[in-house]
């Protein structure tokens, strides 16, 4: 059977994968992915064949996955978190129809495609901090590799202006050291410098760390690419429970 399943494997730990994801990984013939995710998955599925491409070789990775499926193998393309959020579900589906077949309008008409959702970093990191995204929230990536920075700035401005809680992905990379600072400067146009914020690093992986801080402190925080950032709305509070700091956005009920 020619099958390509795009699997979101959650933040990294086995326990945070869905049963559907585990079943797909257990029953496939080959697992394709970015080196970092393959290294996370390998210990749990040691008997599988793994194929990798480095970062920024996403299209190559998709072509590789289709090529394997066309051989009649059952292929899983793994992504961290959810495959539909800054993941590979989009590119796979876009590539599947790139060179329209006259009758079916697909490039790989015989490859059956399935997308299995996973726990995205906003949710796994949100749980580590408590309940930062309890009310309306926006998710924005600070990566300008595929999105013009001006578009990102407009979205940051709009989300801050309307008092969303905001979750930031890709807060930094070597080339973009000051992007989080620039984002915080935009937030400070509308949000108080005391706004409760938090970061979670290496969610579900070795070295998981969380920190609750103010927006003023976040502006000078040096995030890395394995960090997810949470910016509260005007009602978000910090609470201290069991010796830990938590970030809680009210649900809106009166108590
Ligand atoms: N598809 C992924 C997101 C990929 S974009 C998902 O749904 O989670 C990559 C960004 O996601 C990182 O820069 C970071 O901001 C966030 N991220 C993904 N996994 C993470 C983890 N285990 N710990 C902290 N942040 C993570």
């Amino acid at each position: 059977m020619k099958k390509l399943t795009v699997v979101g494997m959650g933040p990294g730990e086995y326990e945070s994968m869905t049963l559907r994801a585990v079943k797909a990984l257990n029953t496939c013939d080959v697992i394709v992915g970015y080196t970092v995710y393959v290294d996370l998955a390998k210990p749990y599925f040691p008997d599988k064949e793994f194929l990798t491409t480095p970062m920024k070789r996403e299209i190559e990775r998709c072509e590789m996955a289709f090529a394997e499926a066309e051989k009649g193998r059952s292929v899983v393309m793994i992504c961290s978190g959810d495959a539909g959020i800054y993941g590979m579900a989009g590119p796979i589906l876009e590539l599947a129809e790139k060179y329209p077949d006259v009758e079916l309008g697909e490039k790989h008409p015989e490859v059956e495609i399935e997308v299995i959702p996973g726990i995205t970093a906003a949710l796994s990191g949100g749980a580590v901090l408590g309940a930062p995204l309890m009310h309306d929230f926006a998710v924005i990536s600070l990566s300008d590799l595929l999105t013009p920075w001006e578009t990102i700035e407009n979205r940051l401005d709009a989300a801050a202006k309307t008092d969303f809680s905001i979750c930031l992905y890709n807060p930094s990379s070597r080339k973009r050291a000051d992007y989080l600072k620039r984002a915080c400067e935009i937030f400070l146009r509308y949000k108080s410098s005391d706004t409760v914020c938090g970061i979670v690093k290496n969610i579900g992986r070795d070295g998981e760390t969380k920190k609750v801080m103010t927006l003023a402190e976040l502006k000078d925080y040096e995030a890395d690419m394995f960090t997810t950032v949470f910016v509260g709305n005007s009602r978000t509070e910090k609470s201290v429970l069991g010796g830990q700091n938590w970030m809680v956005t009210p649900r809106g009920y009166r108590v």
Side-chain angles (χ1 to χ4, degrees):
M1 186 180 59
K2 299 181 178 183
K3 175 142 192 193
L4 174 50
T5 309
V6 193
V7 173
M9 59 178 216
E13 64 205 345
Y14 185 78
E15 290 75 9
S16 290
M17 287 186 205
T18 67
L19 293 176
R20 269 180 80 190
V22 170
K23 191 172 164 198
L25 285 157
N26 271 328
T27 55
C28 69
D29 298 317
V30 57
I31 300 171
V32 180
Y34 165 44
T35 337
V36 172
Y37 309 143
V38 161
D39 288 346
L40 283 169
K42 245 182 201 166
Y44 307 121
F45 307 95
D47 303 332
K48 292 292 164 183
E49 181 184 336
F50 285 88
L51 295 174
T52 60
T53 65
M55 201 160 67
K56 294 185 190 160
R57 294 285 176 82
E58 283 83 6
I59 300 308
E60 228 170 89
R61 207 177 305 151
C62 293
E63 301 278 16
M64 190 190 258
F66 274 116
E68 288 300 312
E70 291 287 6
K71 290 180 196 162
R73 309 181 82 190
S74 164
V75 183
V76 162
M77 162 74 84
I78 47 169
C79 305
S80 77
D82 182 76
I85 300 181
Y86 315 120
M88 301 303 283
I92 286 286
L93 289 166
E94 285 177 55
L95 267 184
E97 59 161 18
K98 194 166 146 198
Y99 304 108
D101 174 276
V102 180
E103 278 177 12
L104 292 161
E106 292 173 34
K107 183 185 174 191
H108 299 283
E110 283 164 26
V111 177
E112 183 192 333
I113 296 177
E114 183 183 359
V115 180
I116 297 183
I119 304 179
T120 190
L123 305 185
S124 52
V128 174
L129 286 167
L133 307 177
M134 178 54 59
H135 207 268
D136 299 338
F137 66 94
V139 173
I140 302 173
S141 166
L142 296 191
S143 170
D144 63 354
L145 285 175
L146 302 169
T147 309
W149 177 250
E150 197 193 342
T151 304
I152 299 172
E153 276 194 338
N154 284 337
R155 290 180 182 167
L156 294 168
D157 185 278
K161 191 191 281 175
T162 45
D163 198 26
F164 275 100
S165 298
I166 301 165
C167 180
L168 298 176
Y169 283 50
N170 297 303
S172 177
S173 78
R174 241 170 291 140
K175 279 196 196 149
R176 303 179 282 112
D178 68 334
Y179 279 26
L180 179 58
K181 193 187 206 65
R182 283 154 74 177
C184 288
E185 280 161 2
I186 293 171
F187 298 155
L188 284 164
R189 293 175 189 163
Y190 312 99
K191 289 177 178 281
S192 140
S193 59
D194 294 334
T195 302
V196 179
C197 297
I199 61 94
V200 193
K201 205 170 152 164
N202 297 319
I203 306 160
R205 301 180 189 170
D206 285 345
E208 181 183 279
T209 319
K210 73 167 168 175
K211 215 169 173 206
V212 178
M213 61 186 94
T214 64
L215 180 53
E217 287 164 342
L218 182 66
K219 187 157 85 81
D220 295 318
Y221 182 79
E222 285 188 20
D224 64 16
M225 62 186 290
F226 298 110
T227 302
T228 300
V229 173
F230 298 79
V231 177
N233 69 17
S234 57
R235 298 185 58 204
T236 303
E237 286 177 8
K238 170 178 157 177
S239 70
V240 184
L241 286 171
Q244 283 192 58
N245 291 325
W246 301 86
M247 187 175 167
V248 185
T249 300
R251 170 70 182 84
Y253 297 116
R254 284 186 203 185
V255 275

